[in-house]
């Protein structure tokens, strides 16, 4: 960013944006969540019920929560979300009763629903108020870089804590600390970033109309609809595919002749911490340089198209490696796809923000997020059936086919759609 551009942005606010991402991703439970629930005596069926219940809560509340943030204040919405997260972590830490854990999952789902999309809208609206919309990919990439750095550090801290204490429940109460710190961080946000309407009391009819108008805007704007379709397919595919690659990662990690003198539980904790932290460091770097991809290829649309092409090539390499049962070679293209995804995400958020109305920003970004989850929900059972029938090679083939479909329908159709949309407006 040029010096004159930096002066137009308040360093303190950018620092708070980055601090939010760093603290948000201090989720020490993520690499060990399955083991933590098993330690509490839960069966795989009960764990599945908890995970499914969380997804249900998020899907029901995500889009209305975006409308509430647009209408009644984005900062207070974020504070509410992290209050729910803090209570959730405390319940997880101190209770083993199944119904208490369901209550904790309810709180977690509420927090996730009210968080997603809202902070991105705050960032983009701030940049617009400073006349710096052209910096949206760079600033969002910077904040995402801090998020990924936070994930890398959290994986190491969680591994050390489990190695030291010998149990998994401690990671939950530790999660409550950065969640509380983020609430304090939001209390320092300037009032003008709140962006709320004049309405003081919650009006569900107003929320419904806001959501309806946001959907109508996407439906009527073919360019915006195409971009959100790209986002949900790329993101949703990776959400499903990466779970299967955990099988490959674990197989490689446990097959390495390292830490063999350490007890198996502690050894798994150390290896998982190393693997996850290494991945997050690489994705942190890639997020920070995402704006350079736009600069190289001229604009966000061209950069996004190149990432689709690179992902297709990597999925094809992964398919060959899995077909010939070469786990060490199959994991390399998977890591590269994660790196490309971390570059692609800020670019995609910039594209969506460019074409959506600012007063509907949080709602539109919530719609995008839920679309990805919905696509993943549809793809997961189909991909599971394919893996049962044809093996792990199916995950790479599905990824390649989805990438290829957007490559073949990409440049010309997007240009035509955007020209039609601009002519209608």
């Amino acid at each position: 960013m040029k010096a004159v551009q930096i002066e137009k942005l308040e360093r303190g606010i950018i620092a708070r944006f980055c601090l939010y991402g760093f603290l948000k991703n201090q989720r020490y439970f993520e690499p060990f969540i399955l083991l933590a629930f098993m330690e509490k005596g839960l069966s795989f069926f009960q764990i599945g019920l908890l995970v499914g219940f969380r997804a249900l809560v998020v899907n029901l509340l995500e889009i209305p929560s975006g409308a509430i943030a647009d209408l009644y204040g984005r900062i207070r919405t974020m504070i509410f979300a992290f209050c729910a997260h803090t209570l959730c972590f405390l319940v997880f830490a101190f209770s083993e009763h199944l119904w208490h854990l369901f209550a904790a999952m309810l709180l977690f789902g509420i927090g996730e629903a009210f968080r997603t999309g809202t902070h991105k809208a705050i960032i983009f609206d701030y940049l617009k108020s400073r006349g710096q919309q052209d910096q949206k990919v760079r600033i969002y990439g910077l904040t995402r870089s801090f998020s990924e750095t936070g994930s890398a550090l959290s994986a190491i801290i969680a591994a050390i804590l489990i190695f030291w204490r010998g149990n998994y429940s401690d990671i939950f109460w530790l999660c409550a600390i950065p969640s509380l710190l983020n609430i304090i961080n939001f209390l320092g946000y300037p009032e003008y970033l709140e962006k709320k309407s004049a309405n003081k009391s919650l009006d569900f009819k107003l929320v419904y109309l806001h959501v309806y108008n946001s959907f109508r805007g996407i439906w009527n704007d073919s360019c915006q609809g195409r971009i959100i379709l790209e986002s949900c397919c790329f993101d949703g595919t990776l959400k499903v595919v990466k779970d299967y690659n955990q099988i490959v990662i674990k197989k490689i990690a446990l097959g390495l002749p390292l830490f063999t003198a350490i007890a198996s539980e502690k050894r798994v904790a150390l290896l998982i911490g190393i693997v996850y932290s290494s991945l997050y460091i690489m994705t942190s770097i890639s997020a920070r340089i995402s704006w350079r991809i736009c600069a190289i290829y001229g604009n966000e649309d061209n950069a996004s198209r190149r990432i689709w092409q690179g992902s297709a090539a990597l999925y094809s390499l992964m398919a060959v490696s899995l077909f010939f049962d070469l786990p060490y070679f199959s994991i390399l293209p998977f890591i590269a796809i994660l790196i490309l995804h971390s570059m692609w995400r800020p670019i995609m958020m910039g594209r969506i923000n460019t074409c959506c109305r600012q007063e509907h920003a949080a709602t539109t970004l919530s719609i995008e997020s839920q679309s990805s989850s919905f696509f993943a929900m549809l793809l997961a059972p189909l991909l599971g059936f394919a893996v049962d029938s044809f093996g792990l090679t199916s995950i790479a083939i599905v990824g390649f086919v989805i990438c290829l479909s957007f490559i073949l329908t990409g440049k010309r159709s997007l240009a035509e759609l955007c020209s039609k949309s601009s002519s209608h407006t």
Side-chain angles (χ1 to χ4, degrees):
M1 194 184 293
K2 298 177 182 179
V4 65
Q5 294 171 328
I6 292 177
E7 292 173 2
K8 294 180 180 179
L9 301 177
E10 299 169 64
R11 292 178 183 271
I13 293 179
I14 300 300
R16 287 191 180 277
F17 291 163
C18 294
L19 180 61
Y20 155 77
F22 180 83
L23 293 173
K24 168 185 69 75
N25 278 27
Q26 295 303 300
R27 295 186 170 187
Y28 310 111
F29 61 87
E30 282 194 341
F32 306 98
I33 185 67
L34 189 67
L35 300 173
F37 283 149
M38 291 174 64
E39 184 182 68
K40 291 180 179 294
L42 271 62
S43 66
F44 286 111
F45 176 69
Q46 291 170 326
I47 294 171
L49 288 177
L50 283 172
V51 174
F53 178 67
R54 179 188 65 187
L56 176 64
V57 172
V58 173
N59 281 322
L60 288 175
L61 296 180
E62 189 164 22
I63 295 176
S65 66
I68 291 171
D70 282 332
L71 292 170
Y72 300 101
R74 293 169 182 172
I75 296 174
R76 66 178 64 178
T77 298
M78 295 300 295
I79 291 173
F80 173 75
F82 278 91
C83 286
H85 274 168
T86 303
L87 291 174
C88 154
F89 296 140
L90 293 176
V91 175
F92 273 138
F94 296 111
S95 181
E96 297 182 357
H97 195 283
L98 182 61
W99 295 111
H100 293 171
L101 299 180
F102 267 104
M105 273 299 188
L106 174 63
L107 289 169
F108 187 81
I110 290 172
E112 285 295 280
F114 278 82
R115 181 189 64 78
T116 55
T118 304
H119 196 264
K120 300 183 191 72
I122 293 174
I123 294 174
F124 294 143
D125 203 66
Y126 169 74
L127 293 175
K128 184 179 181 182
S129 70
R130 291 293 182 271
Q132 296 293 298
Q133 298 97 313
D134 60 327
Q135 297 297 320
K136 56 185 177 292
V137 173
R138 186 168 189 174
I139 296 300
Y140 180 69
L142 177 65
T143 61
R144 185 175 175 86
S145 172
F146 273 84
S147 298
E148 297 297 310
T149 302
S151 295
L153 182 62
S154 71
I156 295 173
I157 293 173
I160 293 173
L161 181 65
I162 294 169
F163 186 85
W164 171 45
R165 298 276 292 176
N167 67 79
Y168 295 103
S169 293
D170 288 343
I171 57 180
F172 289 117
W173 64 256
L174 189 62
C175 287
I177 298 173
S179 184
L180 282 171
L181 291 176
N182 233 342
I183 294 173
I184 297 172
N185 181 38
F186 282 116
L187 292 174
Y189 275 45
E191 177 65 24
Y192 69 84
L193 293 177
E194 185 70 288
K195 282 293 180 181
K196 60 181 181 291
S197 68
N199 298 279
K200 300 297 183 181
S201 58
L202 184 62
D203 186 339
F204 288 102
K205 182 179 179 180
L206 193 62
V207 172
Y208 166 78
L209 289 174
H210 190 84
V211 172
Y212 171 77
N213 287 330
S214 298
F215 269 111
R216 188 176 66 175
I218 295 172
W219 180 265
N220 291 336
D221 186 343
S222 52
C223 179
Q224 187 178 348
R226 160 76 188 206
I227 291 172
I228 289 180
L229 180 63
E230 279 192 44
S231 181
C232 78
C233 289
F234 193 112
D235 213 40
T237 301
L238 192 62
K239 283 179 181 178
V240 179
V241 168
K242 70 180 182 180
D243 291 336
Y244 287 96
N245 276 279
Q246 288 177 9
I247 300 172
V248 182
I249 293 172
K250 184 177 180 180
K251 182 179 179 181
I252 294 172
L254 294 180
L256 293 173
L258 299 173
F259 313 121
T260 53
I262 302 174
S264 59
E265 186 176 276
K266 293 185 175 182
R267 183 183 175 212
V268 168
L270 283 177
L271 290 172
I272 289 178
I274 292 171
V275 170
Y276 273 76
S277 62
S278 299
L279 284 172
Y280 287 133
I281 288 171
M282 287 185 283
T283 55
S284 170
I285 296 171
S286 63
R288 184 167 297 198
I289 65 173
S290 57
W291 66 277
R292 295 184 183 275
I293 306 301
C294 294
I296 291 171
Y297 292 109
N299 57 53
E300 296 160 6
D301 291 336
N302 289 338
S304 179
R305 188 159 49 252
R306 294 297 184 183
I307 291 176
W308 275 112
Q309 293 168 354
S311 298
L314 290 167
Y315 274 120
S316 64
L317 288 175
M318 188 191 302
V320 173
S321 301
L322 289 172
F323 181 79
F324 289 104
D325 194 22
L326 302 170
Y328 286 94
F329 289 100
S330 65
I331 206 62
L332 293 176
F334 169 67
I335 291 173
I337 289 171
L338 284 177
I339 292 172
L340 284 182
H341 176 264
S342 192
M343 290 181 183
W344 174 86
R345 190 68 181 161
I347 294 170
M348 185 56 63
M349 291 301 98
R351 294 174 73 196
I352 293 173
N353 181 256
T354 298
C355 63
C356 77
R357 295 167 57 187
Q358 292 306 305
E359 63 270 22
H360 291 263
T363 312
T364 302
L365 291 167
S366 292
I367 291 171
E368 180 274 334
S369 177
Q370 188 166 19
S371 298
S372 298
S373 299
F374 184 73
F375 182 78
M377 183 182 70
L378 294 178
L379 181 62
L382 298 175
L383 190 57
F385 175 79
V387 171
D388 285 338
S389 303
F390 308 107
L392 281 175
T393 309
S394 304
I395 65 174
I397 294 174
V398 168
F400 174 78
V401 169
I402 290 174
C403 289
L404 186 63
S405 65
F406 281 99
I407 292 169
L408 295 177
T409 61
K411 186 173 183 179
R412 182 180 176 185
S413 64
L414 187 58
E416 290 175 350
L417 290 173
C418 291
S419 63
K420 289 177 182 178
S421 297
S422 60
S423 64
H424 289 156
T425 56

